[in-house]
Amino acid sequence: METTLQKVKKEIANSPGEVGLMIVDAETIKELNRDYRNQYKSTDVLSFPQYQEDDLVERDSDDYLLLGDIVISESAVLDQADKYGHSIERELAFLFLHGLLHLLGYDHEKEEAQSEEESMFVLQEEILSSLGITRQ
C-alpha cells in the first residue's frame, strides 16, 4: 500500500508547477536557517514548501502548483565546488536538485526519514548524470 509521502511525491511530480530560486550570501542563509530552523549556523541549501498535503487532495492533477522556494548559499557553491573538485555549475545543479527533492517530499533530516538519505543522494546522482552534469 502506498504511503502518504509516496502519494504526495507522485502527485507533485506529475503536476505543472513553479519553484522560486534565490542565491544569497553566507550571512543571509545563516539568518534564514536561524529564523526557520532554529539553527544559527551556515548551510548550503534551504527549501521552503508552499503547499500543504491537504492542498493536493482537493485539486486536479493538471492544476498549477507553487512548489516553494529554494535558497542556495553562493559561498557554499564556490567552497564545495573547490572542495569536491568539480565545476561551480555542477555544485549549483546539485544543490538546486537537493532543494527540489526536499520540495517534492524527500526528507533525510527527521529521525524516521534517515533511510531516505541514501536513496535521495542516489536519485540526485542519477538525475544529474542523465542531464550530463557529472563530476569532472
Side-chain angles (χ1 to χ4, degrees):
M1 179 166 213
E2 223 175 16
T3 66
T4 301
L5 179 59
Q6 289 169 325
K7 289 177 186 174
V8 168
K9 288 177 190 175
K10 189 166 128 184
E11 180 69 25
I12 294 171
N14 292 319
S15 301
E18 179 179 318
V19 173
L21 173 63
M22 293 177 281
I23 299 176
V24 299
D25 60 38
E27 188 59 32
T28 300
I29 204 158
K30 187 176 182 180
E31 290 172 1
L32 289 169
N33 204 18
R34 177 198 62 207
D35 294 348
Y36 293 96
R37 298 181 66 226
N38 296 317
Q39 296 182 21
Y40 194 54
K41 62 181 183 178
S42 194
T43 189
D44 51 8
V45 62
L46 293 170
S47 297
F48 299 98
Q50 298 296 317
Y51 63 90
Q52 302 290 324
E53 285 185 30
D54 293 344
D55 296 339
L56 301 175
V57 175
E58 301 173 11
R59 60 186 288 281
D60 293 327
S61 62
D62 58 350
D63 284 351
Y64 196 78
L65 181 64
L66 295 175
L67 286 174
D69 295 316
I70 298 170
V71 182
I72 297 175
S73 167
E74 178 184 22
S75 60
V77 171
L78 299 174
D79 293 345
Q80 290 172 186
D82 184 52
K83 177 180 178 180
Y84 297 118
H86 53 245
S87 70
I88 292 168
E89 292 80 8
R90 197 263 183 211
E91 186 62 28
L92 181 59
F94 178 86
L95 292 176
F96 176 80
L97 182 55
H98 188 85
L100 180 60
L101 290 176
H102 278 299
L103 292 179
L104 294 174
Y106 286 83
D107 186 358
H108 59 84
E109 298 205 3
K110 293 180 182 172
E111 191 172 315
E112 63 272 12
Q114 288 293 317
S115 62
E116 279 202 25
E117 183 172 22
E118 186 175 329
S119 62
M120 186 175 175
F121 281 92
V122 167
L123 180 57
Q124 285 174 207
E125 289 302 326
E126 288 175 1
I127 292 169
L128 290 172
S129 292
S130 74
L131 296 171
I133 304 171
T134 59
R135 294 178 190 257
Q136 299 172 17

